[in-house]
Amino acid sequence: MIKAILIFNNHGKPRLIRFYQYFAEDMQQQIIRETFHLVSKRDDNVCNFLEGGSLIGGSDYKLIYRHYATLYFVFCVDSSESELGILDLIQVFVETLDKCFENVCELDLIFHMDKVHYILQEVVMGGMVLETNMNEIVAQVELQNRMEKSESTVWVFFPFFCLFVCLLQGGLSAAPARAVSAVKNMNLPEIPRNINIGDINIKVPSLSPF
Amino acid sequence: MSDVVEKTLSALPSLLSLDSQPGAGKLSSTSKLGSLIRNITELTSKHEEEKLIKRELAALKEQVSSPNTTMKQMREAMVRAIYCEMLGYEASFTYIHAIKLAQQGTVLEKRVGYLAVSLFLNESHDLLLLLVNTVLKDLQSSNLIEVCMALTVVSQVFPKDMIPAILPVVEEKLTHPKEIIRRKAVLALYKFYLIAPNQVQHIHAKFRKALCDKDPGVMTASLHIYLQLIKESPDMYKELTGSFVTILKQVVGGKLPIDFNYHSVPAPWLQIQLLRILGLLGREDQSTSELMYDVLDESLRRAEMNHNITYAILYECVKAIYSIYPKSELCEKAAKCIGNFVLSPKINLKYLGLKALTYVVQQDANLALQHQMTIIECLDHPDLIIKKETLELLFRITNTQNVTVIVEKMLGFLKLSNDDYTIVDLVGKVAELAEKYAPDNEWFIQTMNEVFSFGGDMMQPDIPNSFLRLLAEGCESAEESRQLRLYAVDSYLAVLQKDSAHLPQRFLQIISWVLGEYSHLKEGLDVQEVRQLLMKLLDRKGVTTETRCWVLSSLMKLCEGPGADEMAQELVERWGSSLDPLLRQQAQELLCLSLDKDLRTRTLPLATTWDGLEVDSSLSFLDGFVAEALAAGAAPYKPPHQRQQEQCQEKALSLEPYGLSLPVSLSSCSLTDRQSPTLLSMSSGQSGNSTEPSNKAGSSKLNLEGVKRVWGKEGYLPHREVPEESAPVEEASSAVQSSSQQGGASDKSSMAHTEPVEQDKEKQQLASSLFVGLGSHNATSLMGKSETPSQRFRRKPRTQVSTSSSVTSEKSDSSHSSRSTVDSFLYGSLLEEEPVLPQPNTSHTPRVTTANGSSETKTQSFIPTNGTFEGEEAEEEEEEPTQTENDITSVTAHRTKQGSLIMNSDMVIVQPTMWSDQPKDWSQDDSGDLLSSGSDTHMETSPLLLLPADLRDLPHSNINTLAADQSLLLSSCHVYRDDALVLVIFLSNSGETPIQEIAVQLNCEQLEVASLRGNVIDTLDGLGTSVCRYTLVMDGAHTQVEMTGTVSYQAGPGHTQTLPFSSKLSLADFIRPLVITTEEYGKLWLSFSHDVKQNLKLLKGDRDPLVTTLDALKETLQLHIVDIIGSEGIVACRLLQGAPCLLHCRIHGDSLAVWLRSSLPGLPDCVLYYCQKALLEH
């Protein structure tokens, strides 16, 4: 399981912090500091794994990190994760960010911290790797973005819309509520799937009943 | 109307201005978050940042609490709060608003709200309870995005006690048409399994369905669960091996759609997961391993070295190959693969290669030999992580011949590293190696000195403890131990005479103890000199009280000879009035002992031997005192663990009324349960030291806490096979040299300079010193015996095993042991928690042993008469008169066998015994002996009368028809025996013609089935009835068990018919009353950790509703009502002779609040189910 995901810049300023195991607030900050301390003094040509930070539990835990330009992406995992697998997962995550933000840079992460979180949620859920296919992740995020776009356009016209409805209905006081529900139902498309489910050939042999 | 229009119009400009930049929600330069971030980045000092954030938080607080804030502004405020929290500033006032946002907003607000909640709150936060309903609502929403969000938040953070509330909805999502929902649901369930395994026990079948899902994504998600489950109990999932192999085959074979490719590798993460699972399944299991050889071979072949991710697969593959039952061909390939890793210029791969080598070297030391030059290079690698990994590898291949070099390397590394964790780890390893392989005294003491000065006060306390023990117990030869001690004294005197200000406390303690104990060994040493040194230590600043205690107790041993009285006087004056009570006590003791020479020689004899020493760790000498105190009304002792639990209990009780919300106590209780004893002893080590200073008063009471088993006589247990030596050193080293020269030759060709060659030579030398002794691997195996390495410090054989544990006894330990005795007392005498075997009559015991013997050799037979019946009727006759005993023996045999059965995970296969209760059969068999029950068989009017005599007095169910055909009628009756459910099957011939060769087979996977008798009958006459019976034992908690069976018989000659039958058994059949007192109930209640709460229907009756309800429960389920006090009642039952289940019932409004607890996970749920059912049916 992934215990924590930390992104900070070359100066140790946190850019995204996500813990999947509970630590008290000050402990979290201490972990960030110590991790930065450990990671930052390593050259770029040494290996990407670090063992046994004494803060996030001992020998079973590893830090797996990658350094991109100004940012460090650090995943803290336990022994049930494959080191190289996680290393590539970081790559997938960063590539996804790049796709979503179009040439991602540190500023994107700062100003759209919430969005980075949403993207991360599609990759790792509750400490478990959910999706490793970049197209799939992007599709999920796009879908949410569309929702947001539709909202902002709707909101621009919403007052007019309300006004219109009010006038039309002769001032029924329930009108705004209705309008809201109308808006709510307008733009909620189905999630598109790129994978055609029908073609999948995995056939699990029939299992004996439990 | 005008009102509405006006409001809308007035809101218009503000809305428009806020949305001045429509689009992907880019933050405008004027937005508050933007400016906050800009301001923060402009700051230079931490202090300014603090001030700015304080201001920001104040503004935020105002904004979120203002009623005029729109949802959109709220959303923005929440992001700012998240930002502040990320920087480490608490914004707890926003937590409730985050929840509100998730509760009330539209999808977008919910998204922010949920995100904030999952970032801010932890699983046990009280506010989370407010979220439960929202999550439930969103889970049932028709909007996919809402469902996704709810599932995400559930898997990130959800209160453990609330899982039952949403579990059904999440389960339902497993059949959702959208794969993304199914996938998230699977992961959410996995999370539930991790935090509360007993809650999701019933959905294992659904996990299987997820594994077979048509979407590979869902299947991948389910592998998370299976990896965990298989890690916990590989035996239960062996039958899935085939499925996993098939899946992997298809994945490797490229059967997945191209979408799943990552850098043209098909679903690499899925492959990794599967390989891990296979590795776990095949461990030490040849037949399972054989299933996977092919696919592992194929994965190895297919994974061409072209991308990082293929290395990941290869690595997992290699690991799997070495963890399963070995196949030489595959191992060879894997070894080659490891070679590629180790030799790779990529540093990540090198690291993994070293890791793999470390893993493999225990099986095949030669592999390390092949790569010795690379390993040497890694030792000088600039990356500390690689170095550390290399040392780890060297640690595994250490033997007596290379120990000095390896330890030297390790100490060298220690000097460079400043990371606490690494230091503690390495220091432990060095100490272990030193103790195991030390070549001579001098080296050993020197190394240990280094260990103590490096390790300081961080190192594991068992290192100094085992060192002192080694000194104290001595080696096999007395002279040897004398030498060792003498050397230690010499060395420590030298250490103290130098500057010792920087020495860690632990080291000082050791020094003072050794000097106190053994300085008399050194001839010509002036005691006063030693005293002086120690006194100096005593007065030094920075020395802790604990160390002072050690020093004082050493001085106590030294107060003999000239100047002793003065010293004692001085010490008492100096420390007798110390503020610290411990020091004061030590000083007082010193005074007493220095005045009374006799007493001193008795308590502190010189040169004691350790063998005769026995410490009564259970403190039984205090029993009388305790009994007296108890009789006088003192409260019984409660171990700290239990006290803590009780405190939690109290808190929980006072906080929480019965209701939907379960108390938090559960998690904290289980936490304390999990606390390892070593941790306990470690934490109490220091306080223990000081609470019992008398422990140190004498040489006979060395203070040693929790010494681990690994420091046993044979050294570190898991690595015992690793060092295989005994071949002549010269031979081995020459072999190494030759091979290393080969390796070096290739290097030479590439390097023209002479300097590298010299370096090479150095390395070769190092190699030959490092890998010496490894090459002799083959020689030893040829000789056919592997000698254990000759240990220098082989401890004297102990006279009693118990001594070692009792010597280490300390305050904390003794409290532990006393707890365990309390526990065992509770279980043993009151509860018989341990599976108590029904005691057979003494006359019968020999037979039981034969039963055991036969059950070991023949898996299929239980009872000695099995299969041999026809040949040995005489033996059968012997048994007949003692029918009940026979019963018991078979049960006993069965019980004793159960361990092995579980280990094989085989179904219990029961060979029928030949026996029939029907006298006619017996008269035909000329066996002649009629049972009393036999005569009843003719009265077919009441089949109950057919019940064997020994069962007739027991409570039993009605007779139900199981199955019937034209010639045979099967009916059954449950007899509730205390230790088992006896299933009596009546076979009635409904026709006139006799039926031949009847055989009954009964199967039930969840139960242990043992046949008693009567399931093979030669002939059943027309209209006759025969009885066969089975004992069924339930070990785990199951609500309902399906039992199937067949009866085969011959109605006509040569014509076999089968009659299948099935029946369901409920847990209620296995529940027995548990008769205990209220006090015992209270004790038990606290010791159980699995619990469930629920409100049940309260029955109304003429009497008190509680009494009515409990009576109804008692009637339907076999419960024992322990006590009823006011509106509360306590009830107890148990699963046969096994796990007890306690019920605490209380009237709560119109319903009965029931709280169940048990030691067996799942049992409370099952019992609750039946209580519910019983009350509904009533």
Side-chain angles (χ1 to χ4, degrees):
Chain A
M1 228 176 86
I2 299 169
K3 298 293 168 185
I5 294 173
L6 315 173
I7 305 177
F8 40 73
N9 71 1
N10 289 347
H11 307 292
K13 279 262 170 245
R15 293 302 175 218
L16 179 126
I17 304 298
R18 172 98 246 191
F19 282 91
Y20 295 102
Q21 185 186 337
Y22 173 67
F23 289 100
E25 182 83 3
D26 45 345
M27 190 64 183
Q28 289 189 5
Q29 293 300 319
Q30 205 183 330
I31 289 172
I32 296 168
R33 272 198 303 277
E34 186 175 294
T35 313
F36 172 70
H37 184 68
L38 280 176
V39 166
S40 62
K41 61 179 181 197
R42 293 174 64 79
D43 290 340
D44 274 355
N45 58 354
V46 296
C47 75
N48 299 62
F49 316 119
L50 270 172
E51 257 173 75
S54 44
L55 281 176
I56 301 188
S59 61
D60 196 33
Y61 291 67
K62 278 190 207 72
L63 298 175
I64 297 167
Y65 74 97
R66 264 178 190 267
H67 188 198
Y68 293 92
T70 58
L71 290 176
Y72 284 99
F73 286 71
V74 186
F75 280 43
C76 175
V77 301
D78 68 5
S79 64
S80 68
E81 299 289 342
S82 144
E83 292 92 344
L84 288 175
I86 292 291
L87 206 56
D88 267 56
L89 187 74
I90 301 179
Q91 179 69 23
V92 168
F93 178 48
V94 174
E95 279 180 35
T96 313
L97 287 179
D98 198 50
K99 255 194 179 171
C100 292
F101 289 108
E102 289 157 16
N103 284 328
V104 68
C105 67
E106 193 184 340
L107 282 181
D108 289 314
L109 265 73
I110 303 174
F111 285 101
H112 302 284
M113 190 185 50
D114 49 337
K115 275 205 199 97
V116 180
H117 268 296
Y118 300 139
I119 295 169
L120 185 61
Q121 271 179 4
E122 297 303 323
V123 184
V124 178
M125 180 171 136
M128 278 95 57
V129 180
L130 175 70
E131 179 63 77
T132 49
N133 183 352
M134 195 166 40
N135 296 331
E136 197 60 21
I137 303 164
V138 173
Q140 288 291 329
V141 176
E142 290 272 291
L143 177 74
Q144 294 182 5
N145 286 351
R146 222 175 304 156
M147 181 174 78
E148 205 164 347
K149 266 181 213 166
S150 65
E151 191 227 24
S152 49
T153 39
V154 168
W155 273 99
V156 174
F157 299 110
F158 177 62
F160 302 108
F161 184 68
C162 286
L163 191 61
F164 173 71
V165 172
C166 294
L167 292 172
L168 202 72
Q169 301 218 341
L172 282 174
S173 57
R178 254 187 234 185
V180 168
S181 72
V183 171
K184 224 174 162 181
N185 293 331
M186 259 166 65
N187 265 302
L188 297 170
E190 281 277 277
I191 301 176
R193 276 289 285 173
N194 290 347
I195 295 173
N196 40 350
I197 293 169
D199 279 357
I200 287 164
N201 283 327
I202 285 208
K203 283 197 194 77
V204 180
S206 58
L207 301 162
S208 54
F210 213 39
Chain B
M1 172 190 141
S2 61
D3 246 32
V4 176
V5 175
E6 213 174 274
K7 257 187 198 161
T8 321
L9 284 174
S10 68
L12 195 59
S14 71
L15 279 170
L16 282 173
S17 73
L18 262 177
D19 289 308
S20 58
Q21 278 194 328
K26 282 242 185 295
L27 283 162
S28 63
S29 53
T30 53
S31 86
K32 286 181 179 165
L33 175 64
S35 58
L36 166 69
I37 291 167
R38 209 157 291 112
N39 289 338
I40 286 181
T41 41
E42 279 163 12
L43 294 178
T44 47
S45 74
K46 183 87 189 157
H47 182 64
E48 283 178 63
E49 183 189 291
E50 227 162 82
K51 258 179 19 197
L52 183 81
I53 298 272
K54 283 254 163 70
R55 234 179 306 136
E56 177 66 26
L57 285 177
L60 258 180
K61 200 170 191 170
E62 198 178 321
Q63 192 185 352
V64 291
S65 51
S66 136
N68 298 327
T69 315
T70 62
M71 277 301 200
K72 188 171 167 80
Q73 284 166 331
M74 202 64 162
R75 233 159 69 196
E76 210 252 339
M78 205 47 71
V79 177
R80 275 190 288 156
I82 293 176
Y83 190 79
C84 293
E85 283 260 328
M86 183 179 77
L87 292 179
Y89 299 92
E90 201 188 283
S92 50
F93 60 90
T94 52
Y95 296 174
I96 185 70
H97 295 282
I99 287 180
K100 262 197 216 159
L101 214 53
Q103 279 172 345
Q104 296 160 356
T106 61
V107 185
L108 281 175
E109 275 92 45
K110 268 184 191 304
R111 190 166 68 152
V112 181
Y114 276 139
L115 175 65
V117 166
S118 71
L119 286 170
F120 292 161
L121 304 183
N122 66 312
E123 269 156 25
S124 49
H125 202 286
D126 291 340
L127 281 180
L128 266 188
L129 294 179
L130 297 176
L131 201 69
V132 175
N133 255 331
T134 319
V135 167
L136 195 60
K137 205 179 72 204
D138 284 339
L139 279 176
Q140 287 158 331
S141 155
S142 59
N143 187 338
L144 288 181
I145 296 181
E146 278 178 359
V147 181
C148 274
M149 286 189 310
L151 283 174
T152 306
V153 85
V154 154
S155 68
Q156 313 262 39
V157 56
F158 200 74
K160 186 173 159 189
D161 308 330
M162 282 294 120
I163 288 174
I166 57 162
L167 189 60
V169 196
V170 178
E171 264 178 68
E172 200 180 279
K173 294 286 173 255
L174 285 177
T175 53
H176 199 278
K178 280 285 169 213
E179 70 92 34
I180 184 75
I181 304 267
R182 289 207 299 276
R183 193 196 292 193
K184 287 193 173 178
V186 168
L187 286 187
L189 286 177
Y190 172 52
K191 190 68 187 232
F192 291 168
Y193 177 78
L194 286 181
I195 55 180
N198 55 339
Q199 308 263 27
V200 288
Q201 252 173 2
H202 61 286
I203 45 177
H204 282 257
K206 293 200 169 153
F207 289 159
R208 285 206 179 200
K209 240 171 128 191
L211 182 65
C212 310
D213 198 284
K214 62 176 188 280
D215 187 282
V218 183
M219 187 265 291
T220 312
S222 75
L223 290 185
H224 283 289
I225 300 175
Y226 276 100
L227 186 60
Q228 181 68 28
L229 289 175
I230 290 170
K231 212 182 272 171
E232 281 163 11
S233 50
D235 288 338
M236 282 173 62
Y237 300 93
K238 294 272 186 203
E239 83 274 12
L240 283 175
T241 314
S243 313
F244 291 126
V245 167
T246 320
I247 296 172
L248 185 57
K249 234 177 223 160
Q250 293 181 35
V251 174
V252 172
K255 295 273 167 54
L256 279 182
I258 202 105
D259 296 301
F260 283 89
N261 283 13
Y262 174 78
H263 289 269
S264 67
V265 182
W269 285 278
L270 173 58
Q271 288 193 43
I272 291 171
Q273 201 83 318
L274 282 169
L275 285 168
R276 290 201 159 202
I277 290 178
L278 289 185
L280 287 174
L281 279 174
R283 184 162 289 165
E284 287 164 10
D285 183 345
Q286 187 172 5
S287 58
T288 315
S289 299
E290 271 163 6
L291 294 174
M292 48 186 94
Y293 288 147
D294 279 347
V295 76
L296 288 177
D297 192 31
E298 200 177 342
S299 319
L300 266 190
R301 210 153 25 82
R302 289 254 186 180
E304 293 139 19
M305 304 275 194
N306 57 1
H307 187 264
N308 187 18
I309 199 75
T310 50
Y311 290 108
I313 297 174
L314 273 178
Y315 177 67
E316 293 304 330
C317 217
V318 168
K319 257 178 89 175
I321 286 171
Y322 274 103
S323 31
I324 65 174
Y325 190 87
K327 186 190 182 193
S328 56
E329 225 174 283
L330 271 180
C331 286
E332 255 170 53
K333 285 185 188 172
K336 235 172 94 188
C337 230
I338 295 180
N340 286 337
F341 272 96
V342 176
L343 294 173
S344 164
K346 287 183 186 165
I347 210 153
N348 285 341
L349 301 187
K350 202 170 268 247
Y351 169 83
L352 288 182
L354 287 172
K355 263 203 127 54
L357 265 186
T358 317
Y359 191 69
V360 167
V361 88
Q362 300 178 30
Q363 294 177 27
D364 182 6
N366 280 326
L367 205 57
L369 215 56
Q370 279 173 27
H371 299 293
Q372 47 179 321
M373 285 318 281
T374 325
I375 295 171
I376 301 288
E377 272 164 31
C378 287
L379 261 186
D380 294 327
H381 203 278
D383 190 350
L384 286 182
I385 300 293
I386 297 272
K387 255 189 183 173
K388 210 178 126 193
E389 202 54 47
T390 317
L391 288 178
E392 173 80 39
L393 173 61
L394 290 180
F395 170 71
R396 303 276 165 110
I397 59 168
T398 312
N399 55 34
T400 38
Q401 293 157 38
N402 58 16
V403 64
T404 40
V405 192
I406 288 178
V407 165
E408 191 190 321
K409 288 277 161 200
M410 286 181 162
L411 290 175
F413 184 79
L414 264 178
K415 279 186 191 114
L416 292 176
S417 65
N418 50 2
D419 163 32
D420 290 357
Y421 176 78
T422 319
I423 292 175
V424 171
D425 186 46
L426 262 181
V427 156
K429 280 179 181 148
V430 173
E432 187 188 330
L433 292 180
E435 188 180 332
K436 241 166 43 176
Y437 303 114
D440 55 59
N441 290 333
E442 190 177 334
W443 183 87
F444 178 67
I445 297 290
Q446 290 291 344
T447 310
M448 287 315 277
N449 285 357
E450 299 257 320
V451 164
F452 293 134
S453 40
F454 278 129
D457 297 320
M458 288 179 298
M459 68 184 157
Q460 300 289 333
D462 46 357
I463 298 175
N465 290 343
S466 81
F467 173 73
L468 289 187
R469 222 172 95 189
L470 201 143
L471 278 182
E473 284 168 15
C475 319
E476 268 167 354
S477 85
E479 179 54 27
E480 190 80 340
S481 18
R482 208 186 68 84
Q483 287 290 334
L484 181 67
R485 289 167 190 163
L486 198 56
Y487 192 85
V489 171
D490 271 346
S491 133
Y492 291 151
L493 281 176
V495 167
L496 278 190
Q497 270 151 5
K498 275 186 276 170
D499 174 37
S500 54
H502 60 280
L503 292 179
Q505 301 298 317
R506 283 258 175 78
F507 195 20
L508 293 178
Q509 289 164 14
I510 289 167
I511 291 176
S512 57
W513 186 84
V514 170
L515 290 181
E517 197 76 9
Y518 296 118
S519 59
H520 65 90
L521 288 176
K522 192 173 157 76
E523 284 163 30
L525 178 68
D526 187 6
V527 190
Q528 283 198 318
E529 193 187 330
V530 183
R531 279 188 217 143
Q532 218 94 68
L533 282 172
L534 289 176
M535 300 265 274
K536 234 177 21 191
L537 215 61
L538 211 51
D539 289 327
R540 185 182 299 148
K541 269 185 194 155
V543 173
T544 60
T545 314
E546 197 193 347
T547 311
R548 289 207 172 103
C549 283
W550 283 76
V551 176
L552 269 181
S553 64
S554 305
L555 283 170
M556 220 181 282
K557 293 171 206 159
L558 292 172
C559 58
E560 198 174 334
D565 294 339
E566 291 85 26
M567 179 199 73
Q569 211 58 47
E570 193 188 329
L571 283 176
V572 171
E573 268 170 33
R574 171 77 179 77
W575 299 104
S577 55
S578 160
L579 281 180
D580 192 282
L582 288 171
L583 284 173
R584 212 155 58 208
Q585 188 184 346
Q586 290 274 2
Q588 290 305 327
E589 278 170 20
L590 180 65
L591 185 66
C592 291
L593 290 176
S594 68
L595 292 178
D596 189 346
K597 295 273 182 241
D598 266 359
L599 182 65
R600 209 181 74 81
T601 38
R602 243 188 308 131
T603 45
L604 300 169
L606 227 54
T608 33
T609 51
W610 282 68
D611 290 343
L613 202 71
E614 251 185 82
V615 176
D616 187 354
S617 62
S618 63
L619 305 178
S620 60
F621 55 90
L622 286 175
D623 281 352
F625 175 75
V626 171
E628 232 169 78
L630 282 176
Y637 173 72
K638 282 174 194 153
H641 148 90
Q642 198 184 333
R643 252 175 290 165
Q644 208 174 343
Q645 223 172 15
E646 256 168 64
Q647 267 172 3
C648 295
Q649 226 63 56
E650 277 163 26
K651 240 187 248 165
L653 281 176
S654 61
L655 263 180
E656 300 282 335
Y658 280 110
L660 201 57
S661 59
L662 298 182
V664 212
S665 69
L666 205 79
S667 53
S668 51
C669 284
S670 52
L671 247 177
T672 51
D673 278 340
R674 253 179 259 130
Q675 215 168 25
S676 70
T678 47
L679 202 105
L680 275 175
S681 71
M682 264 169 69
S683 60
S684 61
Q686 279 167 352
S687 62
N689 242 337
S690 38
T691 41
E692 275 201 331
S694 60
N695 258 1
K696 298 192 291 289
S699 62
S700 58
K701 287 176 189 164
L702 175 60
N703 180 11
L704 297 168
E705 60 246 35
V707 179
K708 275 197 218 153
R709 274 277 140 212
V710 287
W711 300 90
K713 240 180 264 175
E714 291 90 355
Y716 195 56
L717 297 175
H719 311 318
R720 219 186 322 174
E721 308 94 329
V722 184
E724 292 181 54
E725 49 100 36
S726 79
V729 185
E730 297 79 25
E731 193 187 300
S733 61
S734 68
V736 173
Q737 220 133 25
S738 67
S739 67
S740 64
Q741 270 161 3
Q742 282 170 7
S746 58
D747 284 355
K748 272 180 209 163
S749 60
S750 61
M751 295 181 218
H753 298 297
T754 45
E755 201 183 331
V757 176
E758 267 172 29
Q759 272 183 4
D760 264 10
K761 270 185 188 157
E762 265 173 42
K763 280 181 184 169
Q764 278 166 28
Q765 264 178 353
L766 184 58
S768 56
S769 52
L770 275 178
F771 296 94
V772 69
L774 275 181
S776 54
H777 176 76
N778 291 336
T780 42
S781 59
L782 276 177
M783 280 155 67
K785 54 172 182 180
S786 61
E787 281 176 39
T788 48
S790 64
Q791 251 190 60
R792 179 164 189 82
F793 302 110
R794 193 162 298 172
R795 294 215 171 103
K796 276 187 216 169
R798 310 297 300 268
T799 40
Q800 281 169 323
V801 194
S802 65
T803 338
S804 68
S805 64
S806 49
V807 169
T808 65
S809 87
E810 229 215 284
K811 185 100 179 167
S812 63
D813 288 351
S814 56
S815 75
H816 261 289
S817 55
S818 67
R819 177 164 66 84
S820 64
T821 48
V822 167
D823 282 358
S824 60
F825 168 70
L826 265 180
Y827 286 136
S829 60
L830 302 175
L831 245 184
E832 297 162 22
E833 159 76 21
E834 312 289 330
V836 177
L837 303 178
Q839 288 297 315
N841 290 353
T842 40
S843 66
H844 224 77
T845 351
R847 206 168 281 286
V848 178
T849 50
T850 43
N852 287 347
S854 70
S855 69
E856 269 168 24
T857 46
K858 281 195 221 168
T859 355
Q860 294 187 323
S861 58
F862 278 121
I863 303 172
T865 53
N866 262 357
T868 59
F869 171 66
E870 278 161 305
E872 300 171 43
E873 273 178 36
E875 195 182 335
E876 178 66 30
E877 275 179 16
E878 264 178 36
E879 283 206 1
E880 281 163 25
T882 54
Q883 189 188 6
T884 39
E885 283 176 12
N886 188 3
D887 265 0
I888 293 163
T889 19
S890 60
V891 171
T892 324
H894 168 70
R895 285 286 187 124
T896 44
K897 204 173 165 289
Q898 79 194 25
S900 65
L901 285 172
I902 291 166
M903 268 164 60
N904 296 337
S905 83
D906 275 340
M907 240 167 28
V908 185
I909 302 167
V910 181
Q911 281 291 307
T913 43
M914 305 267 284
W915 175 267
S916 168
D917 283 350
Q918 200 166 21
K920 275 182 188 169
D921 298 343
W922 288 105
S923 57
Q924 275 169 4
D925 283 349
D926 288 328
S927 129
D929 191 335
L930 295 189
L931 295 163
S932 56
S933 66
S935 56
D936 293 332
T937 46
H938 295 292
M939 306 164 67
E940 283 169 15
T941 43
S942 168
L944 271 183
L945 291 174
L946 285 172
L947 276 178
D950 55 318
L951 298 179
R952 231 175 280 162
D953 296 335
L954 294 169
H956 54 75
S957 72
N958 294 331
I959 295 186
N960 302 313
T961 308
L962 278 179
D965 64 5
Q966 66 274 21
S967 44
L968 200 61
L969 173 75
L970 288 184
S971 43
S972 71
C973 172
H974 301 167
V975 180
Y976 308 112
R977 216 167 62 189
D978 260 354
D979 57 343
L981 176 72
V982 183
L983 180 76
V984 183
I985 299 179
F986 303 99
L987 304 154
S988 314
N989 188 350
S990 41
E992 296 279 341
T993 48
I995 298 174
Q996 310 281 333
E997 301 197 7
I998 304 176
V1000 187
Q1001 273 275 334
L1002 187 72
N1003 281 334
C1004 182
E1005 277 190 39
Q1006 286 103 326
L1007 298 179
E1008 284 177 22
V1009 182
S1011 154
L1012 289 182
R1013 66 189 57 131
N1015 47 7
V1016 171
I1017 302 154
D1018 279 351
T1019 318
L1020 183 59
D1021 280 355
L1023 295 175
T1025 300
S1026 169
V1027 181
C1028 77
R1029 39 158 143 161
Y1030 288 88
T1031 56
L1032 306 172
V1033 177
M1034 183 187 267
D1035 275 344
H1038 306 279
T1039 339
Q1040 204 166 48
V1041 230
E1042 176 93 25
M1043 173 184 79
T1044 55
T1046 48
V1047 183
S1048 62
Y1049 62 95
Q1050 289 188 354
H1055 177 66
T1056 309
Q1057 279 182 311
T1058 52
L1059 173 61
F1061 65 90
S1062 72
S1063 161
K1064 279 184 180 152
L1065 295 170
S1066 68
L1067 180 85
D1069 290 327
F1070 295 91
I1071 290 292
R1072 302 286 176 270
L1074 173 65
V1075 184
I1076 50 173
T1077 67
T1078 314
E1079 264 172 42
E1080 292 158 3
Y1081 181 98
K1083 278 182 201 157
L1084 275 181
W1085 179 262
L1086 292 173
S1087 62
F1088 293 157
S1089 53
H1090 302 282
D1091 67 354
V1092 169
K1093 276 183 182 179
Q1094 182 103 37
N1095 286 351
L1096 296 182
K1097 193 176 121 186
L1098 195 62
L1099 296 180
K1100 299 272 185 299
D1102 314 330
R1103 290 177 297 161
D1104 180 42
L1106 181 68
V1107 178
T1108 320
T1109 317
L1110 290 187
D1111 277 348
L1113 281 178
K1114 187 184 170 186
E1115 207 174 284
T1116 16
L1117 301 162
Q1118 298 186 40
L1119 307 175
H1120 171 70
I1121 300 176
V1122 181
D1123 207 348
I1124 296 180
I1125 311 159
S1127 63
E1128 290 180 54
I1130 48 178
V1131 181
C1133 64
R1134 62 159 90 170
L1135 187 60
L1136 299 177
Q1137 296 284 306
C1141 180
L1142 307 179
L1143 292 84
H1144 180 215
C1145 311
R1146 200 173 71 158
I1147 295 185
H1148 181 66
D1150 282 345
S1151 55
L1152 183 71
V1154 183
W1155 189 359
L1156 296 98
R1157 274 196 175 193
S1158 172
S1159 55
L1160 187 68
L1163 188 58
D1165 290 287
C1166 297
V1167 173
L1168 179 67
Y1169 170 78
Y1170 280 102
C1171 291
Q1172 214 163 0
K1173 209 171 138 195
L1175 291 178
L1176 284 177
E1177 281 169 3
H1178 205 80

